[in-house]
């Protein structure tokens, strides 16, 4: 395992390295980042670096905007919060120069990273690789401010929280990099949260699809949009620790993994809420009437279960939403009670979503039943179930989170020593 970095990049390679907020949290850490970059350059690699704002800086800048005006201009908000990455990029370029490494900083608009004009949550539309290609040709390290771009009206845009991961993968795709390294405060992707299961194992490789599911289900190692982008463009992405010299986890295409695990990981998400609409009239259009106003208010509904009454006149509909949206969801439904014609509304935020993920599930029967039997044996009641080709998710009472994760980790043989 410790040698796979050498095996994966034989000789000179083109690498985009991304360092998050904790990785550049102060000048000592920025100097540590510079040494890592200098080492890669010394090994003959072409290197571009994407940086986040120093830890805590973005929150501070957001706070300034909110103090200035409760309902502020989103375009000016982006101008303010993009400043954090600008500072880090400049400091890292200076530090690299001090180590004798030719480097210069770039803001998103200088590349340019072209986005749509949805300020605060912009999406990358196009990246011109010419600027970075020129840096590579000159033997210079390009230090790029992550999280930001420019819209067609020449206004600065930001990509939303976690957007620096997306910046890095998009740049790697644009210059056809051999790999995109994402440096974080963890040293890779584990079979589950090591804080809950001490026997959790770091995965050598994981597929894009598995990583996308785990990221969307609560594993906070990589930002979901960045994984989707990596999968779309085939960018081999590696998760590494900023603070330890250890091999990380490669996120790759399914064809690169010789033998698939049936289940690769157990994910959980605590920020869930469950809502049950009781006695909804069982007539065409009523269920649509439930979810249309929620969608209009940008509330993301996840798992849905419907059960009809014995006489077929009413139905109960249970679904999950982010816990932060529970109060808003309840208010919208109550406002529409007369139109929808339901008898009661039951809701709680005291639930958790537990998921098993693995591309090997496609070719193995009985994976879901193992999950259900394991939870039953532990006396854990399943409230909602959702499945996809490589995932099974259930909602349970939050108090059973750790017990469920540990039991499932063992049930699928993930506790074993390599």
């Amino acid at each position: 395992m410790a040698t796979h970095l050498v095996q994966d990049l034989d000789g000179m390679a083109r690498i985009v390295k991304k360092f998050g907020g904790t990785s550049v949290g102060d000048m000592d850490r920025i100097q540590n980042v510079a040494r890592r970059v200098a080492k890669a350059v010394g090994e003959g690699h072409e290197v571009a670096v994407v940086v986040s704002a120093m830890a805590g800086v973005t929150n501070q800048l957001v706070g300034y905007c909110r103090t200035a005006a409760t309902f502020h201009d989103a375009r000016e908000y982006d101008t303010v919060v993009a400043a954090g990455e600008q500072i880090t990029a400049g400091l890292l370029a200076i530090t690299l120069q001090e180590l004798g490494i030719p480097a210069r900083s770039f803001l998103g608009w200088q590349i340019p990273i072209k986005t749509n004009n949805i300020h605060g949550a912009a999406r990358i539309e196009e990246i011109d690789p010419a600027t970075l290609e020129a840096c590579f040709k000159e033997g210079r390290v390009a230090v790029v401010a992550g999280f930001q771009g420019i819209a067609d009206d020449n206004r600065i845009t930001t990509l939303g929280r976690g957007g620096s991961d997306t910046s890095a993968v998009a740049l790697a795709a644009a210059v056809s990099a051999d790999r995109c390294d994402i440096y974080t405060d963890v040293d890779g992707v584990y079979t589950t949260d090591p804080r809950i299961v001490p026997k959790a194992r770091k995965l050598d490789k994981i597929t894009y699809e598995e990583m996308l599911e785990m990221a969307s289900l609560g594993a906070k190692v990589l930002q979901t949009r960045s994984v989707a982008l990596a999968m779309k463009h085939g960018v081999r992405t590696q998760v590494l620790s900023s603070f330890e010299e250890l091999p990380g986890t490669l996120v790759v295409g399914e064809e690169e993994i010789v033998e698939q695990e049936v289940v690769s990981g157990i994910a959980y998400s605590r920020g869930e809420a469950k809502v049950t609409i009781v006695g909804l009239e069982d007539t065409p259009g009523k269920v649509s009437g439930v979810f249309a106003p929620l969608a209009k208010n940008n509330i993301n509904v996840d798992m849905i279960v419907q059960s009809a009454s014995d006489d077929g006149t009413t139905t109960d509909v249970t679904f999950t939403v982010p816990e932060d949206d529970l109060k808003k969801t309840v208010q919208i439904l109550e406002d529409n009670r007369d139109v929808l014609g339901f008898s009661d509304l039951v809701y709680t935020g005291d639930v958790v979503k537990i998921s098993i993920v693995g591309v090997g599930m496609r070719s193995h029967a009985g994976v879901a039943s193992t999950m259900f039997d394991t939870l039953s044996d532990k006396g854990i009641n399943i409230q909602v179930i959702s499945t996809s080709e490589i995932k099974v998710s259930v909602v349970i009472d939050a108090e059973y989170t750790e017990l469920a994760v540990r039991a499932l980790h063992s049930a699928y043989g993930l506790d074993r020593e390599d």
Side-chain angles (χ1 to χ4, degrees):
M1 187 173 182
T3 61
H4 83 262
L5 287 179
V6 176
Q7 293 170 352
D8 282 331
L9 291 180
D10 186 15
M12 192 215 51
R14 179 172 287 184
I15 309 172
V16 174
K17 293 179 175 288
K18 181 265 175 178
F19 294 90
T22 55
S23 305
V24 293
D26 54 37
M27 283 310 303
D28 284 342
R29 291 186 175 181
I30 288 174
Q31 288 167 348
N32 177 58
V33 166
R35 287 190 290 269
R36 282 185 174 250
V37 174
K39 181 181 177 183
V41 172
E43 291 169 349
H45 300 309
E46 293 179 333
V47 181
V49 183
V50 175
V51 292
S52 298
M54 298 166 76
V57 168
T58 300
N59 287 339
Q60 185 179 37
L61 296 173
V62 170
Y64 289 154
C65 290
R66 289 174 176 166
T67 300
T70 303
F71 299 104
H72 42 254
D73 186 331
R75 297 165 298 183
E76 302 303 345
Y77 168 92
D78 276 357
T79 301
V80 173
V81 298
E85 283 72 18
Q86 176 174 339
I87 293 167
T88 310
L91 288 173
L92 179 56
I94 291 170
T95 307
L96 284 167
Q97 291 167 5
E98 187 68 11
L99 293 177
I101 304 297
R104 70 150 287 184
S105 63
F106 292 91
L107 304 185
W109 63 267
Q110 292 175 303
I111 296 295
I113 299 173
K114 297 179 181 178
T115 75
N116 62 19
N117 62 359
I118 309 300
H119 289 272
R123 301 188 75 84
I124 296 173
E125 294 184 340
E126 181 185 358
I127 296 178
D128 185 343
T131 300
L132 293 182
E133 292 288 357
C135 279
F136 291 140
K137 188 174 181 179
E138 296 164 2
R140 188 191 302 254
V141 173
V143 183
V144 183
F147 175 64
Q148 61 183 251
I150 187 166
D152 56 11
D153 61 356
N154 283 335
R155 299 297 299 257
I156 292 171
T157 56
T158 63
L159 309 182
R161 287 306 180 99
S164 291
D165 283 0
T166 304
S167 300
V169 173
L171 285 168
V175 300
S176 301
D178 296 284
R179 197 180 65 215
C180 180
D181 289 345
I182 307 288
Y183 288 85
T184 70
D185 51 4
V186 298
D187 63 351
V189 181
Y190 281 74
T191 49
T192 195
D193 188 341
R195 294 169 298 181
I196 291 180
V197 183
K199 290 183 179 180
R201 295 179 293 112
K202 182 166 63 177
L203 298 169
D204 187 34
K205 291 182 179 180
I206 187 171
T207 68
Y208 296 120
E209 288 178 280
E210 289 170 325
M211 190 68 250
L212 189 59
E213 289 283 11
M214 292 184 74
S216 66
L217 294 168
K220 303 189 187 307
V221 178
L222 283 176
Q223 200 257 1
T224 307
R225 277 169 62 193
S226 68
V227 182
L229 196 61
M231 182 166 65
K232 178 180 178 181
H233 295 284
V235 177
R236 301 172 83 247
T237 304
Q238 184 173 214
V239 181
L240 295 151
S241 169
S242 295
F243 311 113
E244 298 180 272
E245 291 281 353
L246 295 170
T249 299
L250 274 169
V251 187
V252 295
E254 190 173 340
E255 68 281 355
E256 286 200 45
I257 300 178
V258 177
E259 188 171 351
Q260 303 288 353
E261 297 280 0
V262 177
V263 171
S264 295
I266 315 294
Y268 67 94
S269 175
R270 296 186 190 273
E272 303 289 328
K274 185 184 72 168
V275 179
T276 299
I277 300 174
V278 180
L280 184 70
E281 292 179 8
D282 195 6
T283 55
K286 286 296 183 182
V287 172
S288 173
V290 169
F291 297 114
L294 298 180
K296 186 178 179 181
N297 285 273
N298 297 313
I299 294 174
N300 182 37
V301 175
D302 185 12
M303 307 165 73
I304 305 172
V305 174
Q306 183 177 358
S307 56
S309 64
D310 291 338
D311 61 8
T313 61
T314 63
T315 185
D316 295 346
V317 178
T318 298
F319 58 91
T320 61
V321 295
E323 190 171 10
D324 289 345
D325 289 333
L326 178 58
K327 185 176 180 181
K328 188 176 177 182
T329 299
V330 171
Q331 185 61 57
I332 291 169
L333 293 174
E334 288 291 2
D335 289 345
N336 288 273
R337 181 189 280 257
D338 292 342
V339 175
L340 295 172
F342 59 86
S343 61
D344 198 9
L345 196 60
V346 181
Y347 51 90
T348 179
D350 197 24
V351 295
V352 66
K353 178 167 66 175
I354 308 286
S355 306
I356 57 171
V357 177
V359 293
M361 292 167 60
R362 292 184 180 131
S363 55
H364 288 78
V367 179
S369 63
T370 297
M371 182 184 202
F372 305 150
D373 289 345
T374 300
L375 296 177
S376 176
D377 289 345
K378 296 297 181 181
I380 300 172
N381 183 49
I382 297 172
Q383 302 176 29
V384 187
I385 301 170
S386 173
T387 64
S388 74
E389 194 177 24
I390 66 166
K391 172 202 72 179
V392 181
S393 297
V394 299
V395 170
I396 63 173
D397 284 339
E399 64 180 304
Y400 297 113
T401 303
E402 295 189 4
L403 175 61
V405 171
R406 291 191 187 109
L408 292 170
H409 199 267
S410 296
Y412 290 104
L414 299 175
D415 287 348
R416 74 182 187 279
E417 298 289 337
D418 286 336

